[in-house]
Amino acid sequence: MTGYIHSVESFGSVDGPGVRFVVFFQGCPMRCRYCHNPDTWQPNTCMEMTVEQIMDRYRRNKEFYTSGGITVTGGEPLLQIDFLTELFIRAKKENVHTCIDTSGITYRPDNAVYMEKLDKLMQYTDLILLDLKHIDEEKHIRLTKQSNKYILEFVKYLDRKNIPVWVRHVVVPTVTDDPVYWDRLGRFMATVSNIKKLEILPYHTLGVKKYEDLGIEYPLKGVPQRDKELALRARNTIINGMKQARAEINK
């Protein structure tokens, strides 16, 4: 079995705990307006790699990953769930910590075949980095061209499976900067018990050059980047929303 891989990164420091070997899977159904990897959208392109080829690349620097492991990202790695499962089975045979950076967009609870595959994958998954784009469905569709209905159900599924989750949320001025929705996100997060970390990521424009090279108009042209104060306010609002909701639940 081979997977379509965009690229690999030997020393990832922001992709889960410790130093990570990061595998960028090719293909994504989302079209996030702030996406900085538009070159990973098209499925079934880029280089094909086997599980053993990826593990060989990992082993070259394995001494650096003693507190880290392998993170798969993209694109959307769950689009290639069969290959991903084989990779993680192989990784766990070598006691490698495994992490999936996902939007959760592929989750389909009404598809028995898919759910069987996902259940199997979760047996070999140590951590999920979950990119929650927007809590409001209409605004999520406007932002990504996809509904968040199944994404939010995916969060509940991970809770039932006791899979640790780090939530990631990108704060974009004029796009995801409304305190009302930050509070709603926090209150939703309070409904599960497996969220171990919240990462608020300030918006950046590092992907603009890729859009130019691909001949694609950048959707957020002119939007200012990296407002750290805004990101801090978002984090505080989300956490306060979680605390208030949990206090109400425990009354």
Side-chain angles (χ1 to χ4, degrees):
M1 185 184 297
T2 60
Y4 290 95
I5 305 301
H6 176 272
S7 56
V8 298
E9 180 182 339
S10 298
F11 299 102
S13 60
V14 293
D15 306 281
V19 177
R20 316 288 300 181
F21 181 75
V22 186
V23 185
F24 291 82
F25 277 49
Q26 183 69 20
C28 185
M30 304 272 266
R31 291 297 180 267
C32 302
R33 295 176 66 197
Y34 54 72
C35 178
H36 58 276
N37 289 324
D39 45 335
T40 66
W41 288 347
Q42 188 64 35
N44 304 327
T45 60
C46 289
M47 60 181 170
E48 292 186 62
M49 295 184 72
T50 66
V51 165
E52 196 57 32
Q53 285 174 322
I54 293 175
M55 292 304 298
D56 281 343
R57 295 283 295 271
Y58 169 85
R59 294 185 195 106
R60 293 178 191 178
N61 300 294
K62 68 178 294 185
E63 65 271 16
F64 293 98
Y65 308 133
T66 53
S67 62
I70 293 177
T71 295
V72 294
T73 183
E76 175 48 67
L78 290 177
L79 276 182
Q80 300 184 62
I81 192 169
D82 295 326
F83 179 76
L84 174 54
T85 301
E86 291 303 312
L87 174 62
F88 275 16
I89 289 174
R90 189 71 186 86
K92 296 313 292 183
K93 286 181 179 178
E94 300 185 25
N95 296 315
V96 177
H97 183 276
T98 55
C99 175
I100 304 173
D101 181 4
T102 178
S103 68
I105 190 61
T106 65
Y107 185 66
R108 290 297 181 271
D110 54 349
N111 184 325
V113 174
Y114 171 82
M115 291 304 298
E116 183 177 351
K117 291 181 178 183
L118 186 63
D119 287 345
K120 182 178 180 180
L121 173 60
M122 290 301 105
Q123 296 176 35
Y124 305 95
T125 302
D126 293 313
L127 177 67
I128 296 287
L129 304 183
L130 185 61
D131 296 314
L132 291 181
K133 314 292 185 178
H134 207 296
I135 192 64
D136 182 80
E137 182 174 23
E138 181 179 337
K139 292 184 180 297
H140 192 279
I141 293 171
R142 193 180 308 162
L143 177 61
T144 70
K145 298 190 184 303
Q146 297 283 350
S147 168
N148 68 356
K149 175 184 176 182
Y150 289 131
I151 293 172
L152 299 183
E153 291 188 25
F154 181 57
V155 178
K156 301 293 184 75
Y157 165 83
L158 294 173
D159 189 40
R160 294 193 298 272
K161 289 291 183 180
N162 295 314
I163 304 294
V165 172
W166 291 8
V167 168
R168 289 176 156 181
H169 181 63
V170 180
V171 176
V172 186
T174 74
V175 180
T176 60
D177 61 351
D178 191 330
V180 171
Y181 296 111
W182 295 337
D183 179 73
R184 275 181 56 185
L185 176 57
R187 289 176 178 276
F188 170 76
M189 289 165 55
T191 64
V192 296
S193 59
N194 60 330
I195 295 175
K196 306 303 181 183
K197 189 174 182 179
L198 170 65
E199 295 185 331
I200 302 299
L201 308 178
Y203 164 71
H204 64 72
T205 57
L206 297 178
V208 172
K209 182 63 166 56
K210 292 183 181 180
Y211 283 80
E212 294 174 355
D213 293 343
L214 293 170
I216 304 172
E217 183 178 357
Y218 186 63
L220 298 181
K221 189 174 182 179
V223 173
Q225 67 169 343
R226 294 194 179 278
D227 189 334
K228 292 183 179 180
E229 182 180 345
L230 184 65
L232 181 59
R233 283 197 285 122
R235 178 180 176 78
N236 290 338
T237 304
I238 292 169
I239 290 175
N240 286 338
M242 285 183 65
K243 289 180 178 178
Q244 290 175 13
R246 283 178 176 166
E248 293 167 4
I249 292 171
N250 293 327
K251 278 184 179 179

